[in-house]
Amino acid sequence: MTSVREHGGEATRADRPWLIVGQGAAALAAGMGLGRFAYTPILPMMHAQAGLSPQLGAQLATANYVGYLVGAVAAIMAPGLFASRRALRPSLVILIVTLALMPVTDLGGLWLSLRLVAGIASALIFVIAADAMLTGLRGHAHHLVGWAFGGIGAGIALSGVAVLVLRTTGTWQQAWWTTAALTAALAVPAWGLRAEPPPDAAPVASRHPAAHGRRWFGALLVGYTLEGTGYIIAGTFLVAAIDQSAPGWAGSGAWVLVGLAALPSSALWAWLSQIWSRPALVLAALVVQAAGIALPVLAGGIVAALISAVLFGATFLGVAALTLAIGAHLRVSRAVAILTTGYSVGQIVGPVVVTPLLHRGYQPALLVGAVLVVLAAAATGVLRHRFPHHLGPLPRRVHRQETTS
């Protein structure tokens, strides 16, 4: 009798998957869509009003990505301490505080520290939310997880709308304070998200299948690291680059489209993986993404900018979801954690690689990003050669694998 009462809350949540989707999407919208990516549309305002140099702008992006890597590694190394429910609420509060403090100072060193801490908080929020959703939605349709991850796109779109409204009458300080307020509002529904460990160990690779899948895993890791490097260049500088060749509202408007296109993308790619193989879909998504990143440079104008935004938004979350699914399929031990680390390292390297080019504007940086994504496509294209689509059943004795991105 007591067990029914004690576990009644869990049973109720299991019967209400859309509650978990909503709470998880709110957490991801706050932690990633706003806390991590709102910097992209605010960047041009800081250039124009705060005198932010392109070099310091790139360093702020790098600091945030270093923080994200630190948070992801911390959650991997000490999941009981960092990747748990008791870490979610403090992480949300810390993130909101770092966003609200950005306009209080104009010192580059303090900005770097704030973005570093924000990156750590964003990573922990992502890890906890992903664990809660993957655990809570187990046994439900795969597209539900896709819609939950679409919260990142919703947050991106929300940040774009906010900055678009403030571009003409507001200031860069108001943009950060608005971002903090929106993050706080999203933290309310995310507050009750539960990240409980699964009752049984999650199935991962045995040693024998891992050796078999390792042939393809190396190419997957190289491709995903290159994708992290190339995509983050566009994710950081796309709005600023568009602002240099299109009307003033085009950059923020394009960022809204990035978010709107990203919102359903994970669910869409999950559905497509039931029709075509994941290696083929990753290759296609990377080619489309590279074209989208390069388009504002090669064509210019408002139409090219908006098409670029849609292509980029529709692919970057899909590539991540498909790649992590392939890594899990190959059954290499700790595949998701290894892929996430490579992706995070790529995100740190991306802004550093293009910093020497920024004195000529942001468009050369976008071309470098597009080239890197093409190289990622070439690396992952190897997977299509004799890929082991069927590895046979898993053994009964399995180990638990952490999931981060």
Side-chain angles (χ1 to χ4, degrees), residues 30-404:
M32 300 292 289
L34 286 165
R36 194 173 187 203
F37 287 116
Y39 176 67
T40 299
I42 296 176
L43 178 60
M45 295 183 71
M46 294 184 72
H47 284 322
Q49 300 176 10
L52 180 71
S53 68
Q55 290 71 27
L56 181 55
Q59 291 169 9
L60 290 176
T62 299
N64 188 247
Y65 306 144
V66 170
Y68 187 83
L69 176 62
V70 171
V73 171
I76 293 169
M77 299 301 294
L81 178 62
F82 294 107
S84 63
R85 184 187 180 189
R86 63 179 176 271
L88 175 62
R89 293 175 179 177
S91 297
L92 287 167
V93 173
I94 290 170
L95 179 62
I96 294 165
V97 171
T98 62
L99 297 173
L101 288 178
M102 283 294 289
V104 174
T105 180
D106 58 0
L107 298 177
L110 290 179
W111 279 342
L112 288 168
S113 299
L114 288 171
R115 293 310 290 159
L116 177 70
V117 174
I120 296 172
S122 292
L124 294 176
I125 292 168
F126 181 90
V127 172
I128 297 165
D131 179 68
M133 292 184 301
L134 293 172
T135 302
L137 296 175
R138 183 180 290 115
H140 295 282
H142 294 302
H143 71 87
L144 290 179
V145 176
W147 283 113
F149 277 96
I152 298 174
I156 289 173
L158 194 58
S159 69
V161 170
V163 174
L164 186 61
V165 171
L166 291 170
R167 281 185 71 96
T168 54
T169 60
T171 65
W172 69 273
Q173 293 98 330
Q174 290 173 333
W176 280 111
W177 282 322
T178 301
T179 299
L182 292 172
T183 304
L186 286 166
V188 174
W191 202 255
L193 184 65
R194 296 185 178 183
E196 304 292 344
D200 298 311
V204 296
S206 69
R207 295 184 181 272
H208 177 70
H212 184 62
R214 198 171 290 119
R215 304 177 198 173
W216 292 269
F217 187 77
L220 185 68
L221 177 59
V222 170
Y224 199 46
T225 302
L226 287 168
E227 157 67 359
T229 309
Y231 118 87
I232 204 59
I233 293 173
T236 304
F237 302 123
L238 181 64
V239 173
I242 291 173
D243 277 350
Q244 291 179 340
S245 62
W249 59 270
S252 297
W255 195 241
V256 174
L257 285 181
V258 168
L260 293 176
L263 201 159
S265 64
S266 292
L268 175 61
W269 288 106
W271 176 75
L272 290 175
S273 67
Q274 301 176 27
I275 304 173
W276 292 287
S277 71
R278 289 192 181 104
L281 288 174
V282 169
L283 177 60
L286 287 170
V287 171
V288 171
Q289 185 182 114
I293 294 173
L295 191 57
V297 182
L298 300 178
I302 184 63
V303 175
L306 298 182
I307 294 174
S308 168
V310 172
L311 295 180
F312 179 70
T315 52
F316 79 93
L317 286 182
V319 169
L322 291 167
T323 299
L324 296 179
I326 293 172
H329 170 78
L330 292 174
R331 303 179 191 171
V332 174
S333 179
R334 299 178 67 83
V336 175
I338 295 170
L339 288 168
T340 297
T341 301
Y343 194 68
S344 298
V345 169
Q347 292 177 116
I348 295 169
V349 171
V352 175
V353 167
V354 299
T355 295
L357 303 175
L358 296 181
H359 68 279
R360 289 186 279 173
Y362 290 103
Q363 293 189 347
L366 287 190
L367 282 179
V368 173
V371 170
L372 289 168
V373 175
V374 169
L375 293 176
T380 54
V382 175
L383 297 172
R384 300 193 65 195
H385 179 63
R386 301 177 65 183
F387 183 79
H389 294 285
H390 304 285
L391 290 178
L394 285 167
R396 293 180 62 85
R397 296 184 65 184
V398 294
H399 303 283
R400 186 178 187 270
Q401 175 174 319
E402 297 87 351
T403 57
T404 62

